[in-house]
């Protein structure tokens, strides 16, 4: 298989590690209930310590954020690159990672939340924001925003999830 690389790589990509500092990556398996895109919050599958899924309700156990992988191919027909059903998922539990935020972020005052249910502020499950959006997002434990945005876009979250 021939590999092609862009000469000028984009600086920030959803799910890309934000620096080369020490981080903690673990591997889980995506459950048969759906694929996992890069840069999304993942939670533990109830009763399965080695499986992760996108969040679907409040109160689920946050595991970490799915990381970008160069080892995956585009899905047939859609052209989307993501972790497929029952595929190993790289999950960052500690470190800095680029994520997509739904709104403007001030790193000095805002706390990261991950979306588990579609709501007025956004509909992409597993993406991030600065509040609970009337009960459709949960706080990311042991985390902070490293940089800010002036609206929706890419930001860096630092997590330290034991």
């Amino acid at each position: 298989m021939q590999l092609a690389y862009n000469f000028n790589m984009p600086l920030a990509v959803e799910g890309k590690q934000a620096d080369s500092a020490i981080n903690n990556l673990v591997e889980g398996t995506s459950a048969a209930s759906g694929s996992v895109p890069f840069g999304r919050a993942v939670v533990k599958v109830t009763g399965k310590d080695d499986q992760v899924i996108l969040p679907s309700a409040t109160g689920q156990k946050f595991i970490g954020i799915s990381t970008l992988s160069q080892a995956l191919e585009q899905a047939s027909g859609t052209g989307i690159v993501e972790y497929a059903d029952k595929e190993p998922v790289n999950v960052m539990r500690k470190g800095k990672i680029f994520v997509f935020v739904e709104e403007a972020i001030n790193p000095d005052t805002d706390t990261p939340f991950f979306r588990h249910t579609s709501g007025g502020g956004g509909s992409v499950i597993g993406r991030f924001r600065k509040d609970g959006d009337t009960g459709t997002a949960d706080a990311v434990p042991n985390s902070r925003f490293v940089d800010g945005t002036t609206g929706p876009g890419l930001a860096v979250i630092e997590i330290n999830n034991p």
Side-chain angles (χ1 to χ4, degrees), residues 60-105:
Q60 293 176 305
K61 180 170 176 47
F62 174 82
I63 297 298
I65 301 172
S66 61
T67 63
L68 177 112
S69 173
Q70 300 291 336
L72 300 178
E73 296 180 9
Q74 293 180 346
S76 299
T78 65
I80 297 173
V81 182
E82 60 190 1
Y83 297 101
D85 296 352
K86 299 182 182 177
E87 188 168 42
V89 178
N90 292 325
V91 178
M92 180 178 281
R93 295 177 63 116
K94 177 180 182 177
K96 295 177 183 172
I97 187 168
F98 286 100
V99 298
F100 189 90
V101 293
E102 299 174 344
E103 58 194 335
I105 299 297

Side-chain angles (χ1 to χ4, degrees), residues 8 41 95 133 146 150 154:
N8 295 313
D133 191 31
V146 175
T150 57
L154 289 173

Side-chain angles (χ1 to χ4, degrees), residues 25-49:
L25 293 177
V26 296
E27 186 176 279
T29 300
S30 108
S33 61
S35 59
V36 177
F38 303 143
R40 304 292 171 84
V42 292
V43 296
K44 178 183 177 295
V45 174
T46 303
K48 306 280 185 180
D49 287 339

